[in-house]
Amino acid sequence: SMRKVLATDLDGTFLEGNAQMRAAVYRTFAELKNEFPLIYTTGRGLSAVRQLIDAYDLPEPIAILADHGTQIVEGRSFKEISALQ
């Protein structure tokens, strides 16, 4: 069977709305993480992504594509996924 993921940008997408709206969305995706694992895609650098995850209490992604796709890392450890690099 095909595995589903949600790949989402951060700016203008996952960071939009007021704090209450964002919290509801983040809770939903945290609850559905086994069914719809998250991948963050962004033009931002990895240090900025790490700061956003902490500042907004974002759900943990399985992977992050940062720096316009030039950095591909694991979502928890931020270790490079060399097979994809």
Side-chain angles (χ1 to χ4, degrees), residues 7-79:
T8 182
D9 186 29
L10 295 173
D11 297 305
T13 305
F14 224 54
L15 299 177
E16 279 297 303
N18 64 40
Q20 183 178 0
M21 291 169 58
R22 286 192 312 267
V25 170
Y26 301 163
R27 269 194 312 274
T28 299
F29 281 104
E31 292 168 3
L32 295 173
K33 69 181 177 183
N34 292 328
E35 188 175 349
F36 296 101
L38 286 172
I39 297 174
Y40 293 145
T41 63
T42 183
R44 291 176 180 255
L46 288 174
S47 62
V49 175
R50 189 184 305 251
Q51 290 173 354
L52 287 172
I53 288 172
D54 292 341
Y56 285 84
D57 197 24
L58 296 175
E60 185 179 289
I62 61 167
I64 301 166
L65 283 70
D67 288 326
H68 301 284
T70 62
Q71 296 274 311
I72 304 172
V73 299
E74 295 175 358
R76 176 174 292 206
S77 67
F78 279 69
K79 287 184 181 178

